[in-house]
Amino acid sequence: MAILLTMFSVTYPTQLMALPEDLAKESAALSKMLSDGYAKFYPEQSQMVEISGYPSLGFKSGVAVLMSMGGWAGGNTNNQYVAVYGINADLKLGKAPNQYRLISFKRVGGKGDRLFTTLSYENQALVLSGFGYGENDGLCCPSLPINLTLTIGDRGDLKESLNSTTQ
């Protein structure tokens, strides 16, 4: 119940969106590369936010996806990743075959580690909100509210910023 109350009490400066079909396909392709052969991508548990462009990385606009994968080694474990995609611009030479181009990705959570429930984009940074595990928490139920800020580096790498907090 505490998780639901926290999820609905947070204000979102950016509109959360379900994954469009072509972005879900791109995320599924990334998940196949990350999978151990058993783990599956859960598009219904994923979400995206639009992000501004990074000219140094060659894109004018983009999206970030909080994606979930589960079933590692055939078990009930899961991991969460953030993937950043640039949106390909139409060039004078023609339209790009894919709308999205993978810029970077990072494992950010999972069972027994931390669980993120929301993704937003504020002040040129990705902000993940969710829960970490307390001393007495079972694997099902992390209870400590946490916020993690990821910045996109000059080379596209995702860095946890120093102001990440655990409450």
Side-chain angles (χ1 to χ4, degrees), residues 53-74:
Y54 288 78
S56 65
L57 298 174
F59 68 96
K60 293 181 181 177
S61 64
V63 294
V65 177
L66 174 59
M67 55 188 283
S68 296
M69 294 178 63
W72 298 92

Side-chain angles (χ1 to χ4, degrees), residues 2 11 43 50 63 65 73 85 91 103 106 112 117 119-120 131 135 137 140 147 153-154 167:
T11 58
E50 293 178 351
V63 294
V65 177
Y85 295 90
L91 303 176
I103 302 298
K106 180 179 180 78
T117 55
L119 171 67
S120 62
F131 299 90
E135 227 176 87
D137 289 348
C140 69
N147 294 306
D154 292 338
Q167 300 172 343

Side-chain angles (χ1 to χ4, degrees), residues 7-77:
M7 285 174 51
F8 292 118
S9 67
V10 177
T11 58
Y12 302 106
T14 343
Q15 179 68 32
L16 292 177
M17 294 176 263
L19 301 184
E21 185 177 336
D22 50 350
L23 184 56
K25 286 180 183 177
E26 291 292 332
S27 297
L30 173 60
S31 72
K32 284 181 183 176
M33 289 187 280
L34 296 172
S35 178
D36 62 355
Y38 297 97
K40 303 284 185 220
F41 170 54
Y42 299 131
E44 69 280 1
Q45 294 178 8
S46 300
Q47 54 186 271
M48 65 168 265
V49 293
E50 293 178 351
I51 63 173
S52 60
Y54 288 78
S56 65
L57 298 174
F59 68 96
K60 293 181 181 177
S61 64
V63 294
V65 177
L66 174 59
M67 55 188 283
S68 296
M69 294 178 63
W72 298 92
N76 66 354
T77 59

Side-chain angles (χ1 to χ4, degrees), residues 60-106:
K60 293 181 181 177
S61 64
V63 294
V65 177
L66 174 59
M67 55 188 283
S68 296
M69 294 178 63
W72 298 92
N76 66 354
T77 59
N78 60 65
N79 287 337
Q80 290 181 301
Y81 297 86
V82 168
V84 174
Y85 295 90
I87 297 176
N88 287 325
D90 290 339
L91 303 176
K92 291 179 183 176
L93 301 172
K95 188 173 183 164
N98 295 325
Q99 181 177 1
Y100 300 100
R101 174 173 47 99
L102 181 65
I103 302 298
S104 186
F105 67 91
K106 180 179 180 78

Side-chain angles (χ1 to χ4, degrees), residues 124-150:
Q124 293 290 106
L126 297 167
V127 180
L128 294 150
S129 298
F131 299 90
Y133 287 87
E135 227 176 87
N136 298 318
D137 289 348
L139 287 178
C140 69
C141 311
S143 65
L144 299 174
I146 59 171
N147 294 306
L148 175 69
T149 302
L150 296 174

Side-chain angles (χ1 to χ4, degrees), residues 148-167:
L148 175 69
T149 302
L150 296 174
T151 55
I152 301 172
D154 292 338
R155 295 178 182 250
D157 52 324
L158 293 170
K159 302 176 187 178
E160 292 187 21
S161 68
L162 296 175
N163 65 351
S164 297
T165 59
T166 301
Q167 300 172 343

